[in-house]
Amino acid sequence: MDPEAFLDLANQVIKLKMYPYFDIAHSLLCALAVREDLGAGAQTFSRKHPLSCWLSTMLVIFAGGMVVNGLLGEPMLAPLKNTPQLVIGTVTWYLVFYTPFDVGYKVAKFLPVKVAASAMKEIYRAKKVYDGVSHAAKLYPNAYVIMIIVGTLKGNGAGFTKLIERLIRGAWTPTAMETMQPSFYTKASLVASIIFVLDKKTDLISAPHALVYFGIVIFFVYFKVRYFSRFLVN
Amino acid sequence: MDPEAFLDLANQVIKLKMYPYFDIAHSLLCALAVREDLGAGAQTFSRKHPLSCWLSTMLVIFAGGMVVNGLLGEPMLAPLKNTPQLVIGTVTWYLVFYTPFDVGYKVAKFLPVKVAASAMKEIYRAKKVYDGVSHAAKLYPNAYVIMIIVGTLKGNGAGFTKLIERLIRGAWTPTAMETMQPSFYTKASLVASIIFVLDKKTDLISAPHALVYFGIVIFFVYFKVRYFSRFLVN
Amino acid sequence: MDPEAFLDLANQVIKLKMYPYFDIAHSLLCALAVREDLGAGAQTFSRKHPLSCWLSTMLVIFAGGMVVNGLLGEPMLAPLKNTPQLVIGTVTWYLVFYTPFDVGYKVAKFLPVKVAASAMKEIYRAKKVYDGVSHAAKLYPNAYVIMIIVGTLKGNGAGFTKLIERLIRGAWTPTAMETMQPSFYTKASLVASIIFVLDKKTDLISAPHALVYFGIVIFFVYFKVRYFSRFLVN
């Protein structure tokens, strides 16, 4: 691949529109995660406590934005004003939990669907980390630590709201704090945030901005696909 | 009752001043709720931990405003700047917990007093739901879900802060989340919020605004009085 | 000591610069407190969970500012934009937890060092209470209760975030709420806040402002030193 075409591709990735396909992939995986977290009794739970089920799914979907808004003194509910995203979230939640014969869940769990959605979600994650770092950099141009914290939380907000999400569903697991055993997503988002900050604020990284961004995207997607390849080999 | 007189009455209800009588009724029931929640050891607790007792009672009284402010990026402490309401809250708290021979508590528990206060509190609740929906509609004119969430939280904020309220008193009951078994008040506030949103934002409800509001008030008060009638019959 | 020289001294205390020595003393004691709270396994914990250890130490150091910002609708992360303070905090955290042969911890625990740092921290505390009351008075000129709450939280914020601080370290101790057994620091900060409010807002205190402030400082430092004297006598 010649370098110019590569840079072109990178520039296209940076301008990729997230709505609606990437939002759908993200919502789908969030709803799946809630369902897996509920375990065997997920369906019974969703019938008995629909409000709790819906609220906790929305919290997972909008976790990054809500947490960051809360920490930056902006309205925590504001992400919900994005009506199309809320509709997508509610529809996917419905499909994963309430379709007849559990068709929605089975389709979502089907490996090719899940791999595609996961790859898309990683592209989405890279964008959110980047947006978080940029947003914090606008508010506090010299506070590198705030930029890194905001970027990380945007990248894996749901990890940090897991306790509240489960509390909404009546379960309390204080030892499951993300800070104790940071997941791969948190570590990856942290690394990506640091790279974005270095790229934005220092001259240490000489590569064009689009390439840095593209590199992060590839890094996220690569590890996600490699993770799934384990299931394919066996 | 002729329709014009009825509409007149509705218009008067909508302009009803909440201060001070409705504030007193609300505070009284909040202090009573804290005392009931403490169970048999309430008096001992109030002597041993006055700070914790006062703080948790204030949290119950101002729950709706505080939670909503927190979620909308406004100062959570702001409701406390309403000095008259704070004084009313503190005086009723004192009367319910510390009067000699427990006179204050006994008077507050006396059924006619409690029924009157409860009916007034429901009128208060309807106003708070309405104010919540209007406030959210000003901030986010197209975000119906935010309006409904804010209205519901204003109507039954104390239900959603119960965990924190108890935590202030050193008790932790994670399974008592309002989202798991929503109380009648939460459901009623939710329905009222939806009706207010439909009335404000759509043409689905053709009745005059004052009548819609009055209808909600009657619905709230009716169910509350019916609830008490059970005690009267037996 | 003649009165004029005394007033001069008071005026100098009020203008005392906190950066960097008082910040160092404060950070050192916060890191020590985290280490003591972790008990015997502190060193192992700090190796296994550095992120959790660092985050919880920062929360203790910046507790007052973060909690107050959260309650006043200002950005909770904003205190972290103070880069020099963040660097001091991180360096002291490193010294207390990770120096070879545990030199840093041993030096910090050495009684004369600890007494000096503690005395400085009390001067720092008095300033923070005063700043808190002043800040709240600017926002809500007539809300005495808000001023007192903000002053108290600025004076002993770490007491009120203890639950979250421990949660970050994977421990949950709901009965350790500061409101249940308020520590001496909370009570002292509460008293100081009330005195500052009376001095600022009423004519009840006729002494010059500098003297009131100096009196609070002496009161804080005196009790702290008296506390340590117990160890010296035996």
Side-chain angles (χ1 to χ4, degrees), chain A residues 49 75-77 86 167-168 172, chain B residues 71 140 145 172 177 179-180:
Chain A
H49 307 289
M76 286 179 76
L77 284 184
L86 197 62
L167 194 58
I168 292 177
W172 179 241
Chain B
L71 291 175
Y140 306 105
V145 171
W172 179 242
M177 271 299 282
T179 46
M180 288 298 285

Side-chain angles (χ1 to χ4, degrees), chain A residues 121-194:
Chain A
K121 181 171 169 148
E122 294 308 312
I123 298 173
Y124 196 68
R125 191 193 303 279
K127 190 176 161 51
K128 285 201 289 182
V129 173
Y130 180 71
D131 287 351
V133 170
S134 306
H135 181 56
K138 244 174 248 160
L139 295 173
Y140 306 105
N142 300 310
Y144 292 14
V145 172
I146 297 183
M147 293 175 216
I148 293 167
I149 292 176
V150 170
T152 309
L153 287 173
K154 285 278 269 188
N156 192 22
F160 292 89
T161 57
K162 187 163 275 324
L163 258 60
I164 299 163
E165 172 211 332
R166 285 186 182 152
L167 194 58
I168 292 177
R169 295 199 298 269
W172 179 241
T173 54
T175 47
M177 270 302 281
E178 186 69 18
T179 47
M180 289 297 286
Q181 290 89 16
S183 65
F184 171 72
Y185 303 121
T186 297
K187 286 178 195 163
S189 301
L190 183 68
V191 170
S193 300
I194 292 170

Side-chain angles (χ1 to χ4, degrees), chain A residues 5-65:
Chain A
F6 193 71
L7 194 59
D8 254 23
L9 180 61
N11 271 314
Q12 268 169 333
V13 167
I14 216 167
K15 282 184 219 135
L16 218 57
K17 274 187 83 174
M18 290 298 125
Y19 178 81
Y21 301 111
F22 290 84
D23 284 320
I24 293 174
H26 169 67
S27 297
L28 191 68
L29 291 171
C30 289
L32 271 183
V34 170
R35 179 144 178 183
E36 315 271 87
D37 198 58
L38 278 166
Q43 270 205 310
T44 326
F45 183 92
S46 69
R47 265 69 178 176
K48 256 190 172 167
H49 307 289
L51 176 69
S52 155
C53 185
W54 181 80
L55 270 177
S56 65
T57 308
M58 291 307 119
L59 180 61
V60 175
I61 293 175
F62 294 99

Side-chain angles (χ1 to χ4, degrees), chain A residues 70-73 140 142-143 145-146 149-150 163 172 174-175 177-182 186, chain C residues 45 49 51-52 54-55 73-78 80-81 83 86 167-172:
Chain A
L71 291 176
L72 294 178
Y140 306 105
N142 300 310
V145 172
I146 297 183
I149 292 176
V150 170
L163 258 60
W172 179 241
T175 47
M177 270 302 281
E178 186 69 18
T179 47
M180 289 297 286
Q181 290 89 16
T186 297
Chain C
F45 183 93
H49 308 290
L51 177 68
S52 155
W54 181 79
L55 270 178
E74 291 163 13
M76 285 179 77
L77 284 184
L80 298 180
K81 83 179 163 192
T83 308
L86 197 62
L167 193 57
I168 291 177
R169 295 199 298 269
W172 178 242

Side-chain angles (χ1 to χ4, degrees), chain B residues 61-81:
Chain B
I61 294 176
F62 295 99
M66 284 185 164
V67 169
V68 164
N69 278 11
L71 291 175
L72 294 178
E74 291 163 13
M76 284 179 78
L77 284 184
L80 298 180
K81 84 179 161 191

Side-chain angles (χ1 to χ4, degrees), chain B residues 22 29 114-124 221 224-225:
Chain B
F22 289 85
L29 291 171
K114 216 179 159 184
V115 171
S118 298
M120 286 167 83
K121 182 172 169 148
E122 294 309 311
I123 298 173
Y124 197 67
V221 174
K224 192 74 205 184
V225 171

